[in-house]
Amino acid sequence: MHILLTNDDGIYHPGLSALAYQLRSIGELTVLAPDHNWSASGHVKTLHRPLRVWEADLADGTKALTTDGAPSDCVALALLGLVQPSPELVVSGINPHANLGHDVTYSGTVTAAMEAAIAGVTGIAISLDTPEHHEGPVDYTPAAVIACRLARQITQLPLPKGVLLNINVPYLPLDSIRGVAITRQGLRVYRDALVRREDPRGRPYYWIGGEAPSGVADHGTDIGALAEGFVSITPLQLDLTAIPEIPLLEGWGLGLD
Ligand code: MN
C-alpha cells in the first residue's frame, strides 16, 4: 500500500514526523507537505501561480517532498500524478490541536483529507487534543500509534467513496484512552475578538484575536467523545446541502418576479 502523508503545520512539524515514523510500518510512504504553516487556511486550490516542489529531509533524516502550495494542493499534486504509484491512502496530520465541529471547514488538516475524498481516495485527518495551556514538548506518539492502527483497519474496510474520516485523539497516555467512538460534529463556541491596532505610520490594522474556541461536550459528538476519553472518528462528506430545509425553501415559492 502506498500512503501519502501531508499536514497543515509544515514539513518540519513534529506531529508530521511522529506519524511518518509509524506509517512506514504499514506501507510505502511518501511525505509531501507545505513549506510553512497553513493552519486555518481552509480548502485551497492554487490556480493563479505556479507550485514549486523540492526535496527536504525530515528530522530523522528520511527524504520528503515539500511545496509552497497548501495542504489540499499537496494532495492534488500527488494524486494528479506527481507521486507514483498513485497513493491509495492519504493521511493528514498530526495537527497539534483538535479539529471539532465547525473547525472542519477552516482546517487545513481536514481539507487535505477532503481533497483525497474528491479524488476518490481514502482520506484521514488526525488531530491531537493538546490542552490549551500545555507547556513543554507535545507527545505525539500515542496519537501516531492510534492513527496507524486505525489506518491499517480502515484500508481493509469498504469506506464509501466521497466520505473522509476526521479523527481526534485525546491527550492521554495510550493505556488511558478508553476506546474509539463514532461521532457527529459537535457545537464549537468561538470566542474571536477583533483587535484594532495602529502600524508605525499611524494606519489601523486588524487582527482576529480572542480566546481559543471551547465547545459543548454533548454525548455522541466529537467534543463529547474527547471529554469522555475516547478517540473520536467522525465520517464527513462534502455534500453540505441542508436536505431537511429543501421543502421549507420550496414552500416559500421564490420566483423571478
Ligand atoms: Mn495546523
Side-chain angles (χ1 to χ4, degrees):
M1 179 172 56
H2 186 196
I3 305 166
L4 174 74
L5 174 62
T6 191
N7 74 348
D8 79 351
D9 302 294
I11 186 79
Y12 299 116
H13 193 273
L16 179 96
S17 43
L19 194 45
Y21 179 78
Q22 295 295 331
L23 287 173
R24 283 196 192 92
S25 67
I26 63 165
E28 185 200 342
L29 183 70
T30 296
V31 178
L32 169 55
D35 66 348
H36 68 270
N37 193 330
W38 284 80
S39 294
S41 66
H43 201 165
V44 173
K45 182 173 280 190
T46 298
L47 297 177
H48 301 290
R49 64 175 175 86
L51 294 171
R52 306 285 180 183
V53 178
W54 61 98
E55 281 196 355
D57 293 325
L58 298 185
D60 63 3
T62 55
K63 292 285 176 210
L65 296 170
T66 187
T67 173
D68 53 355
S72 39
D73 289 325
C74 292
V75 176
L77 285 167
L79 298 182
L80 288 170
L82 181 79
V83 168
Q84 297 288 345
S86 198
E88 302 143 89
L89 171 67
V90 172
V91 183
S92 177
I94 299 169
N95 197 66
H97 302 287
N99 276 303
L100 304 166
H102 298 344
D103 294 346
V104 300
T105 60
Y106 296 111
S107 167
T109 308
V110 177
T111 52
M114 287 180 182
E115 192 66 23
I118 287 172
V121 173
T122 300
I124 301 174
I126 313 284
S127 306
L128 179 61
D129 189 24
T130 309
E132 192 183 335
H133 299 294
H134 178 83
E135 288 181 8
V138 171
D139 183 6
Y140 290 98
T141 302
V145 168
I146 286 167
C148 193
R149 289 179 187 170
L150 290 172
R152 199 179 52 215
Q153 296 168 58
I154 289 160
T155 52
Q156 307 296 318
L157 295 164
L159 186 68
K161 287 262 184 278
V163 174
L164 59 135
L165 299 180
N166 183 32
I167 301 180
N168 284 278
V169 179
Y171 196 77
L172 294 169
L174 202 49
D175 57 6
S176 301
I177 295 177
R178 294 172 63 197
V180 170
I182 308 300
T183 60
R184 65 180 191 276
Q185 289 171 258
L187 187 63
R188 265 299 205 194
V189 178
Y190 294 100
R191 298 182 287 176
D192 296 342
L194 190 62
V195 179
R196 183 191 187 278
R197 293 197 179 146
E198 282 188 2
D199 72 15
R201 298 197 172 98
R203 295 175 303 200
Y205 65 88
Y206 300 90
W207 200 291
I208 298 173
E211 299 287 305
S214 61
V216 181
D218 281 340
H219 182 72
T221 67
D222 46 10
I223 299 166
L226 290 180
E228 295 162 17
F230 286 85
V231 174
S232 166
I233 303 183
T234 309
L236 300 178
Q237 60 189 7
L238 282 149
D239 181 351
L240 302 178
T241 313
I243 299 229
E245 312 308 339
I246 286 178
L248 171 72
L249 268 80
E250 285 173 339
W252 286 356
L254 297 171
L256 299 178
D257 319 333

